[in-house]
Every structure is written in structure tokens, then in C-alpha cells.
Amino acid sequence: RPEPELKFAQYSKYPFEISFVINNYHDLGKFVSRMESSNDVYVIETIIAKHEGSGKGLLINLRLSSITIN
């Protein structure tokens, strides 16, 4: 779910939310690590992890922003 762009003097911020299901916290760490190694700049603002119940994994809700320099 994209949110409205936020423009500042030196950069623009493009906030959005994503949700997905993963097997365990290690998979979340791998996902975050891949984001960190991206050429794009992302800022994770919130992470909410909930058990799906009966071993079905974790529901992850991320609120993050892509940052571009003006």
C-alpha cells in the first residue's frame, strides 16, 4: 500500500506498507539483509511480526520508505 510522497529540501520520501508470511525470524533477517545490500535506500520504520498459528509461519507487516536525493 503506497502512501503519498513526502518532499523535503534535499530528499524525497516514498512511504509504503507491505505484508507477507515467512517461515521464521531467520527469513526476516535474510529479507532485511537483502534490502540493506540494495542500490536503493530504504528505511524500515516499523516491523510487526505475528504468529499465524499452528506452525504456519509469521505474518510480517513492514512500514518502510524509499529515499531519493533531490
Side-chain angles (χ1 to χ4, degrees), residues 18-57:
I18 59 174
S19 298
F20 52 92
V21 176
I22 59 174
N23 293 323
N24 53 51
Y25 287 107
H26 295 289
D27 289 343
L28 178 59
K30 290 177 189 176
F31 177 81
V32 171
S33 178
R34 287 186 183 140
M35 285 182 55
E36 289 175 336
S37 65
S38 171
N39 290 334
D40 298 320
V41 176
Y42 294 100
V43 175
I44 297 175
E45 297 174 19
T46 61
I47 298 176
I48 299 171
K50 298 179 184 176
H51 283 284
E52 280 287 285
S54 52
K56 294 184 180 180

